[in-house]
Amino acid sequence: MAALTGLLAGLAVPVCAQESLISTGSYRGIAADRRAYRVGDILTVNVLEAARARSSANTDAGSDLRISASASTPGYQGAASAGLGASSAGGAETSRAGELRTQLSVRVLEVLADGTLAVEGAQSLIINGEDQRITLSGLVRPEDIRADNSLWSHRIANARVEFSGSGVVSESQRTSIVYRVLKWMRLL
């Protein structure tokens, strides 16, 4: 029996580890959902942001002080009066409006422990020498991503949308140093 066991042990073929051509951690079937869910995935953000703000203040104050006195005696009759009055009124109003509409692709930078996706993306357009740059970053819940792998910008938590430009048009919008100095000195 011992000889038979030794013979079988010598004939045993080493077992090879099974390897798969498909990585189970990142595999998605052909009919699987194509929404972004992991680091490196890209999704489209429909940016539709409109901001309007208006503030106004009115002040109206007034005060009035009147003093009067009179005295009379059989040979003298006199009266005196004094008055002091003041009033002031003031008002101010400020308003601001801005709107941005575009589509922007962002990339998933990190998947947080609760499944929330940290995303960031940028787009740069150069039109007639004017460089316009749009950057967007924030946190996205996977359930807010639509079936076409897009979402609206108002669904992004802690969203930071920045629109900036440089070039001839942007430079013409800047105030001159002379104007800024005169404004600082309160001459304008």
Side-chain angles (χ1 to χ4, degrees), residues 94-152:
T94 181
S95 63
R96 181 177 204 106
E99 187 172 318
L100 178 61
R101 294 177 186 214
T102 189
Q103 284 187 329
L104 179 68
S105 293
V106 296
R107 192 170 66 84
V108 176
L109 298 178
E110 181 182 2
V111 179
L112 303 178
D114 65 351
T116 302
L117 309 174
V119 298
E120 183 176 83
Q123 181 179 22
S124 185
L125 301 167
I126 299 176
I127 302 170
N128 293 333
E130 184 75 17
D131 183 15
Q132 297 176 341
R133 185 168 173 83
I134 303 167
T135 58
L136 184 140
S137 63
L139 300 172
V140 175
R141 295 182 306 181
E143 57 268 20
D144 288 335
I145 301 173
R146 299 182 342 196
D148 64 350
N149 199 39
S150 70
L151 78 149
W152 290 99

Side-chain angles (χ1 to χ4, degrees), residues 176-187:
S176 69
I177 189 72
V178 174
Y179 177 82
R180 285 185 271 169
V181 168
L182 292 174
K183 188 81 170 165
W184 179 75
M185 295 172 59
R186 307 225 187 250
L187 296 174

Side-chain angles (χ1 to χ4, degrees), residues 20-172:
S20 175
L21 297 175
I22 299 171
S23 171
T24 57
S26 63
Y27 175 73
R28 287 181 117 169
I30 195 164
D33 190 2
R34 296 292 176 198
R35 289 184 256 192
Y37 75 101
R38 64 182 172 202
V39 173
D41 284 353
I42 295 177
L43 62 122
T44 302
V45 177
N46 298 309
V47 180
L48 178 56
E49 296 294 330
R52 298 190 198 313
R54 184 175 178 190
S55 176
S56 64
N58 289 315
T59 303
D60 192 6
S63 63
D64 193 17
L65 174 64
R66 300 273 179 224
I67 300 173
S68 63
S70 63
S72 64
T73 60
Y76 173 77
Q77 184 174 3
S81 68
L84 180 63
S87 66
S88 67
E93 184 173 325
T94 181
S95 63
R96 181 177 204 106
E99 187 172 318
L100 178 61
R101 294 177 186 214
T102 189
Q103 284 187 329
L104 179 68
S105 293
V106 296
R107 192 170 66 84
V108 176
L109 298 178
E110 181 182 2
V111 179
L112 303 178
D114 65 351
T116 302
L117 309 174
V119 298
E120 183 176 83
Q123 181 179 22
S124 185
L125 301 167
I126 299 176
I127 302 170
N128 293 333
E130 184 75 17
D131 183 15
Q132 297 176 341
R133 185 168 173 83
I134 303 167
T135 58
L136 184 140
S137 63
L139 300 172
V140 175
R141 295 182 306 181
E143 57 268 20
D144 288 335
I145 301 173
R146 299 182 342 196
D148 64 350
N149 199 39
S150 70
L151 78 149
W152 290 99
S153 60
H154 65 271
R155 292 287 192 193
I156 299 175
N158 298 338
R160 178 169 173 81
V161 181
E162 185 176 322
F163 184 70
S164 59
S166 63
V168 176
V169 175
S170 296
E171 290 297 321
S172 69

